[in-house]
Amino acid sequence: MELYKKSAAELSALIKNKSCSVEEATKSVMDRITQVENKVDAYITICEQDALTKAREVDEKIAKGEELHPLAGIPIGIKDNISTKGILTSSASKMLSNYIPPYNATVIDKINSAHMIITGKTNLDEFAMGSTTETSYYKPTKNPHNLAKTPGGSSGGSAAAVSAGQAVLSLGSDTGGSIRTPAAFCGVVGLKPTYGAVSRFGLIALASSLDQIGPIGRTVTDVAMLYSLICGHDNMDATTKNIKHGDYAKNLSSDIRNISIGIPTEYFNLDLNDEVRDSITKAIKKYEELGCNIKEISLSSNEYALPTYQIISAAEASSNLGRYDGVKFGYRSSDYANLNEMYVNTRSEAFGDEVKSRILLGTFALSAQGYNDYYYKAKLMQQQISSEFTEAFNECDAILTPTTLTSAFDLGTDAIGDADSCTVAANLAGLPAINLPCGLDSDSMPIGMQIIGKKFDEQTILNIAFAYENACGIVNMPEIV
Amino acid sequence: MNDYEIVVGLEVHAELSTESKMYCNCKNEFGLEVNTRVCPICMALPGALPTLNKTAVDYAVMMGHALNCKINSVSKQDRKNYFYPDLPKAYQISQAEVPVCEDGHLDIVVDGEVRSIGITRIHIEEDAGKLLHDDSFDGSLVDCNRGGVPLIEIVSEPDIRSSAEAKAFLDMIKLTLQYLDISDCKMQEGSIRCDVNVSVRKKGQKEFGTRCEMKNVNSFSAAVRGIEYEAKRQIELIEAGGTIEQETRRWDDVKGESITLRTKEDAHDYRYFPEPDLLTIVIPDEKIAELKKRLPELPSKKMLHYMIDLGISQTEAMLLVESDDKSKMFDECESLGATPNAVLNWVLGDISKYMNESGKSIFDTHLTSEKLCELISLIEAKTISNAAGRVVFEELLQRDIDIKTIIEEKGLAQISDKDALLEIARKVIEDNAQSVADYNNGKTNALGYLVGQCMKASKGKANPSMMKELILSLIE
């Protein structure tokens, strides 16, 4: 039995009815990692021994008849910008290539208390800055559907691992599309929750007001299960909202009749690849068949979303990354004669080009010369974008767009600037958004659609995704060649 | 020099005595082993997030009430970005645009006149760590125990016109913090520090001169010296035909001089922006009102009462206000109708001496304000002498007993009976013929000796002024 191919829901049932042990499931996934990791490069750190030890512990608990969480024993990969006590957490940067956190992120505490099995730490763009994983200090991750192509980013390792069967579930983080873009490129489901739904405590910050941790899985149900586990108010993160969350997996419903789905014209005026356009159009037709009301809507400020995002995220990043100064932890240059040289050489040697350019941009955007023209205007535009969404949601329950303009492109492709043009608006407005696979292109590469919901209405977009998945199935796990 | 007016504005940083730090649960304690009161949050480990200590906000609001400020029910926190090894996050969380409190004033009395000093704002922020330098190691080490300790920064308007006013203002800020019990106010531990802005202008001139900011002013007396030095420097420069450049200077209190730290051109660009990890601070109106009710009677009000209403000198008024016990005893006696001067003498004399020597509060003894008032009126009525009064006072410290009983027990009642006094006088004159002769030969101080002998013979009970008159009538 190839347990690594099972969904979390299936594995959970197998474990519960004792058709397999947690150790067997874990071993299957670890073996799959051994088999394909040298091709996919999804992981920075693989925790094989810890995973197997933990798996046996969970089996003992099951043997004793303990009542465990449905996700107990399910192997999960963790994006390497989420703090794991005692395990290297590098954020794919040379700067943190020796940093082992003394504490766990809140989401890791939750995963541990549910007795999930951490398989390892997955690759990403350095400090989550990028859409391809190519800015990683370690290596680029390859797309399991075609090893010459990017898996997308920045959570490329997390999406590729799930897509290739190197993890059943994974955690990513999404600041401007970093869960949805790689999910789309790798043919998996990825949810960027509402800002404030999941604790960011322990997530190495890119842009604090936009970052959100979210689940990646092969099915909507799996994503809903993991989201139900990680969401909720946290005293350690002042920006989490104290609202009541239900069990999103138990509440999944594929009856979406009379749900109204908005289709924003502006997204379809973008430079959209024809095959992507066709796939999305077909998906819209499918939703009509499923009984949804399809409405054309307008989000006219979307053309400003990307520059707005670039300024706000770079501004916050320039401040968030100030702490990497060589004083307390992480990399320190060995070449300096005074304090200033220590700062300059440490940061020059240990940050990659993408990080440096964003720090420069962000520093300028917040400077006395730049603040009014850039940061302040971007914040105004952010409000405008937000309020357009609020208006749009008076007319519809959810909004459907492509996730990306194209399917995955070749590694080494330079023109990646627009990769986030469909995804950043949801971050700017703090809205939940999910990527759902909606077919393959002529090269057998996955295409994804994005469903954006109202704040804290993850259930609706999960249901919309669930109905489509029930009707059209999931993407087959690729052969890794 | 006399043609110029000094203009001073102050920024006072006070550490708040909350139990935990501003943004994490680490204990807010001074003097512990280095880096033992730290956690991922105040060490700025990747991914750690701040959460606001609400008590610090309450304290800031109380100080705002005490300084007659408008309290903002909605305020914001901002990041102030700069690199320094004692600042682990490379930004300090502070309040730039909208502070907790704005637009207040503090009344001080200088040279018998009330001066109202405007308060621009009070905002909350976090303290930095400390750099350690020592010969026993190379370079510098960082102690983060102080990092993240809550501070309030109190910014005054440029309303201060002399170093004496600056001193009175700082003293009153410190006293107010102590009255509110929101800061330890230990200067030697750096729990209050200030930055001083100084400019000068010709008397009568409306526009302010160019100001210089002085940092590293670690005591109030250093502030006085720094202001005087800086004003003199600026006046001399102007008189010599120079112009003042806006700059930040560093005060060296040991050398008694300030040096340029940075000019306007290389002033920091702190790149303030709203702190995205924290929510807007919202303080409900009921909470603002409730915090106002918590205020005790304020020291500035007391100073004004003592100095303006009662005419007590600045030094003495300060001695009263600085001590809860002394001002309480004084106020109680005053409200019972005792003569303020007599009470003041007791409070700043014997009571102060007792408290200093015993280290105890006067309210832990059996001396109540009622008894002190009774004692004062007995002395004023000449029922007992001053000397006897002291004996009664000593007894009242030790025993719960009424004054009449002490006077009886110890036979302290003053002798004002003329016959009894005459008898004593005659005996003394008889025994001291030489002194009598001396007096009659013009040595007037012999009289004092004779009265003294009478007092001694009466065991201190004789009414001294009656005694003196009687002696004179007998020997002249």
Side-chain angles (χ1 to χ4, degrees):
Chain A
M1 207 168 10
E2 288 173 315
L3 290 172
Y4 70 85
K5 286 192 172 169
K6 302 287 179 195
S7 71
E10 289 165 342
L11 261 189
S12 176
L14 292 173
I15 291 167
K16 192 161 189 192
N17 68 24
K18 304 210 162 69
S19 300
C20 78
S21 68
V22 173
E23 188 178 2
E24 284 163 345
T26 304
K27 194 141 192 333
S28 173
V29 170
M30 298 320 291
D31 288 348
R32 174 71 172 172
I33 292 174
T34 310
Q35 189 195 339
V36 302
E37 173 61 13
N38 62 345
K39 293 177 179 157
V40 179
D41 283 327
Y43 283 90
I44 291 173
T45 304
I46 297 165
C47 304
E48 185 167 10
Q49 284 317 310
D50 286 353
L52 291 171
T53 306
K54 177 84 203 248
R56 285 188 283 268
E57 284 169 16
V58 180
D59 279 330
E60 280 168 32
K61 286 182 192 294
I62 292 168
K64 281 189 215 152
E66 283 185 36
E67 192 66 39
L68 298 180
H69 189 277
L71 289 173
I74 306 299
I76 181 170
I78 308 293
K79 190 177 183 180
D80 205 29
N81 62 352
I82 298 173
S83 302
T84 42
K85 187 175 177 177
I87 304 169
L88 174 72
T89 300
S90 70
S91 219
S93 179
K94 181 178 180 181
M95 186 63 90
L96 292 178
S97 54
N98 61 0
Y99 170 67
I100 295 173
Y103 78 104
N104 274 331
T106 299
V107 291
I108 298 301
D109 282 339
K110 290 188 172 192
I111 276 166
N112 285 338
S113 61
H115 302 295
M116 294 186 78
I117 310 295
I118 294 174
T119 52
K121 303 297 293 291
T122 58
N123 195 26
L124 64 150
D125 286 288
E126 183 180 3
F127 286 108
M129 296 182 186
S131 319
T132 66
T133 71
E134 288 167 294
T135 72
S136 167
Y137 168 61
Y138 295 94
K139 59 197 172 184
T141 297
K142 321 303 184 293
N143 192 313
H145 290 268
N146 180 339
L147 297 174
K149 291 183 186 287
T150 176
S154 67
S155 311
S158 287
V162 168
S163 163
Q166 301 188 76
V168 176
L169 282 164
S170 66
L171 283 184
S173 69
D174 189 316
T175 307
S178 280
I179 286 174
R180 291 159 287 160
T181 296
F185 283 3
C186 294
V188 294
V189 183
L191 173 68
K192 195 289 282 186
T194 308
Y195 186 78
V198 179
S199 171
R200 292 180 296 114
F201 189 74
L203 169 67
I204 298 183
L206 194 188
S208 314
S209 73
L210 306 170
D211 295 343
Q212 218 27 213
I213 293 173
I216 297 174
R218 290 192 290 269
T219 70
V220 173
T221 305
D222 285 8
V223 162
M225 286 170 81
L226 183 52
Y227 177 60
S228 300
L229 172 65
I230 61 174
C231 67
H233 177 253
D234 179 14
N235 287 332
M236 304 301 278
D237 177 358
T239 62
T240 53
K241 276 259 166 52
N242 201 349
I243 64 151
K244 204 170 175 310
H245 291 270
D247 183 326
Y248 294 90
K250 279 197 182 139
N251 295 334
L252 277 177
S253 161
S254 57
D255 178 3
I256 53 169
R257 280 172 300 172
N258 298 324
I259 293 261
S260 95
I261 299 179
I263 311 295
T265 324
E266 291 79 5
Y267 280 71
F268 293 84
N269 295 337
L270 294 167
D271 190 12
L272 206 55
N273 167 282
D274 287 342
E275 292 191 75
V276 173
R277 189 185 298 272
D278 288 350
S279 279
I280 303 292
T281 310
K282 278 184 199 152
I284 294 170
K285 287 222 178 76
K286 176 56 75 180
Y287 278 118
E288 271 183 312
E289 289 169 33
L290 291 170
C292 294
N293 304 320
I294 304 298
K295 280 188 183 170
E296 214 169 273
I297 59 160
S298 173
L299 291 169
S300 59
S301 295
N302 190 58
E303 63 174 306
Y304 302 109
L306 197 57
T308 300
Y309 164 79
Q310 283 164 339
I311 287 166
I312 293 173
S313 68
E316 292 183 15
S318 73
S319 173
N320 284 331
L321 271 64
R323 68 189 61 194
Y324 308 114
D325 57 6
V327 174
K328 308 159 291 277
F329 49 76
Y331 178 85
R332 181 193 290 179
S333 172
S334 52
D335 169 29
Y336 59 90
N338 55 47
L339 179 64
N340 204 49
E341 274 184 32
M342 184 182 91
Y343 284 151
V344 171
N345 294 348
T346 294
R347 291 166 69 83
S348 298
E349 290 164 22
F351 282 143
D353 288 347
E354 180 67 23
V355 173
K356 283 177 193 164
S357 77
R358 293 204 200 187
I359 289 174
L360 288 172
L361 170 63
T363 303
F364 177 72
L366 291 176
S367 71
Q369 308 114 281
Y371 192 92
N372 286 335
D373 287 347
Y374 296 94
Y375 181 75
Y376 182 68
K377 277 191 186 166
K379 291 300 279 186
L380 288 181
M381 186 46 74
Q382 181 181 23
Q383 284 173 18
Q384 170 80 18
I385 290 166
S386 263
S387 53
E388 277 181 18
F389 272 109
T390 308
E391 278 174 38
F393 282 123
N394 290 329
E395 298 175 48
C396 59
D397 302 308
I399 293 168
L400 192 153
T401 76
T403 305
T404 52
L405 302 177
T406 65
S407 61
F409 40 81
D410 288 347
L411 284 162
T413 307
D414 205 16
I416 53 166
D418 290 342
D420 296 328
S421 49
C422 299
T423 49
V424 292
N427 299 82
L428 290 170
L431 302 170
I434 193 168
N435 172 73
L436 185 71
C438 60
L440 302 175
D441 68 9
S442 48
D443 294 330
S444 299
M445 293 307 289
I447 293 169
M449 64 176 160
Q450 170 178 241
I451 305 158
I452 306 171
K454 297 175 187 174
K455 275 189 186 171
F456 296 103
D457 192 13
E458 276 79 359
Q459 192 68 58
T460 297
I461 59 172
L462 285 165
N463 287 351
I464 293 171
F466 186 57
Y468 182 92
E469 186 186 83
N470 278 351
C472 303
I474 66 167
V475 176
N476 288 330
M477 192 173 287
E479 297 297 319
I480 313 284
V481 280
Chain B
M1 197 92 189
N2 287 332
D3 301 341
Y4 288 87
E5 181 176 53
I6 303 175
V7 176
V8 176
L10 295 169
E11 295 165 24
V12 185
H13 296 84
E15 284 182 355
L16 299 177
S17 50
T18 51
E19 272 189 34
S20 57
K21 290 186 180 182
M22 191 68 148
Y23 296 111
C24 63
N25 285 326
C26 288
K27 285 261 178 279
N28 174 14
E29 289 173 296
F30 178 83
L32 295 158
E33 195 184 331
V34 297
N35 294 322
T36 55
R37 289 297 176 273
V38 295
C39 72
I41 296 167
C42 56
M43 289 292 281
L45 293 194
L49 297 173
T51 47
L52 178 64
N53 181 338
K54 294 201 171 71
T55 307
V57 179
D58 290 353
Y59 284 4
V61 170
M62 286 168 72
M63 192 61 179
H65 281 313
L67 303 188
N68 310 291
C69 290
K70 179 187 121 205
I71 311 297
N72 289 322
S73 55
V74 176
S75 68
K76 277 173 42 194
Q77 293 170 91
D78 300 277
R79 289 188 187 176
K80 178 181 181 178
N81 296 283
Y82 64 95
F83 285 95
Y84 204 64
D86 67 6
L87 190 70
K89 294 193 295 295
Y91 56 82
Q92 177 195 35
I93 305 176
S94 179
Q95 296 190 293
E97 259 184 85
V98 193
V100 175
C101 318
E102 284 181 283
D103 217 2
H105 64 90
L106 176 64
D107 293 338
I108 55 172
V109 187
V110 178
D111 295 335
E113 272 187 51
V114 182
R115 296 269 293 117
S116 181
I117 308 298
I119 302 294
T120 315
R121 52 147 60 202
I122 303 172
H123 67 252
I124 52 169
E125 60 185 29
E126 55 178 338
D127 211 341
K130 239 185 242 176
L131 289 195
L132 307 173
H133 313 274
D134 195 278
D135 291 339
S136 63
F137 51 82
D138 279 342
S140 306
L141 298 176
V142 187
D143 177 8
C144 288
N145 282 352
R146 198 181 70 180
V149 164
L151 291 176
I152 47 174
E153 179 173 337
I154 302 154
V155 182
S156 88
E157 289 289 299
D159 288 344
I160 295 164
R161 293 288 174 269
S162 68
S163 56
E165 286 185 14
K167 176 76 165 52
F169 177 82
L170 291 169
D171 283 340
M172 193 49 69
I173 291 283
K174 181 179 171 208
L175 273 173
T176 307
L177 292 164
Q178 284 170 327
Y179 267 62
L180 298 179
D181 196 19
I182 59 173
S183 173
D184 290 338
C185 293
K186 289 179 182 153
M187 308 294 292
Q188 68 280 10
E189 293 178 5
S191 55
I192 304 189
R193 309 184 288 273
C194 65
D195 297 337
V196 182
N197 290 283
V198 181
S199 66
V200 298
R201 63 178 169 189
K202 277 269 170 67
K203 278 185 182 156
Q205 182 183 315
K206 283 225 171 70
E207 308 78 45
F208 288 127
T210 305
R211 71 188 163 89
C212 292
E213 181 181 6
M214 245 185 313
K215 298 215 173 260
N216 195 42
V217 181
N218 293 323
S219 71
F220 294 170
S221 54
V224 169
R225 288 188 287 274
I227 289 165
E228 284 164 0
Y229 172 90
E230 182 58 21
K232 185 161 174 277
R233 186 189 72 85
Q234 292 184 13
I235 293 166
E236 283 172 0
L237 190 59
I238 293 168
E239 287 293 296
T243 47
I244 308 298
E245 298 293 338
Q246 189 178 328
E247 60 182 3
T248 304
R249 301 177 67 84
R250 185 180 188 282
W251 176 247
D252 184 332
D253 202 44
V254 178
K255 289 187 185 156
E257 60 184 39
S258 64
I259 50 160
T260 301
L261 198 61
R262 48 182 181 263
T263 60
K264 198 181 175 187
E265 284 72 41
D266 27 73
H268 284 306
D269 181 348
Y270 289 115
R271 293 174 285 122
Y272 281 102
F273 75 104
E275 166 57 273
D277 286 328
L278 292 165
L279 303 180
T280 302
I281 301 173
V282 179
I283 319 166
D285 290 344
E286 310 83 73
K287 179 80 182 174
I288 293 174
E290 182 219 309
L291 289 166
K292 189 162 195 172
K293 283 194 200 131
R294 275 205 231 162
L295 297 195
E297 194 193 358
L298 294 166
S300 55
K301 202 176 153 202
K302 282 192 184 177
M303 277 301 269
L304 255 59
H305 174 61
Y306 293 153
M307 295 178 69
I308 304 299
D309 301 342
L310 303 181
I312 297 174
S313 77
Q314 176 143 14
T315 316
E316 289 178 324
M318 198 66 184
L319 288 172
L320 281 183
V321 175
E322 273 175 352
S323 157
D324 274 354
D325 286 349
K326 290 177 201 171
S327 57
K328 186 172 176 218
M329 181 59 87
F330 181 87
D331 294 347
E332 284 183 10
C333 291
E334 195 209 341
S335 68
L336 288 171
T339 320
N341 256 332
V343 183
L344 192 66
N345 286 337
W346 277 104
V347 170
L348 298 184
D350 293 76
I351 289 178
S352 178
K353 184 165 168 258
Y354 167 78
M355 285 173 37
N356 287 342
E357 284 170 1
S358 67
K360 286 181 190 158
S361 161
I362 193 65
F363 291 100
D364 292 340
T365 70
H366 297 287
L367 180 75
T368 59
S369 50
E370 287 82 6
K371 284 190 175 157
L372 184 59
C373 287
E374 189 187 343
L375 178 59
I376 289 169
S377 59
L378 286 171
I379 295 169
E380 284 174 346
K382 302 194 191 314
T383 310
I384 58 172
S385 66
N386 276 327
R390 289 221 159 73
V391 176
V392 172
F393 174 81
E394 293 294 333
E395 287 298 312
L396 288 174
L397 293 176
Q398 311 301 334
R399 296 161 66 194
D400 185 13
I401 186 169
D402 66 57
I403 296 180
K404 296 247 158 60
T405 314
I406 302 174
I407 293 173
E408 274 170 31
E409 257 185 25
K410 303 237 165 196
L412 294 173
Q414 191 156 264
I415 304 168
S416 300
D417 174 57
K418 200 172 173 184
D419 292 340
L421 294 177
L422 259 178
E423 194 179 316
I424 296 167
R426 288 206 179 95
K427 178 86 171 52
V428 168
I429 288 169
E430 201 180 299
D431 294 348
N432 294 281
Q434 187 57 47
S435 295
V436 175
D438 287 349
Y439 179 80
N440 287 328
N441 288 331
K443 289 189 179 170
T444 48
N445 56 2
L447 178 62
Y449 176 77
L450 290 168
V451 175
Q453 290 304 305
C454 295
M455 294 307 290
K456 196 176 168 188
S458 73
K459 300 196 173 102
K461 288 186 284 182
N463 180 328
S465 54
M466 282 179 77
M467 202 74 239
K468 187 177 166 191
E469 274 171 38
L470 284 174
I471 298 263
L472 274 175
S473 70
L474 288 176
I475 61 177
E476 275 187 344

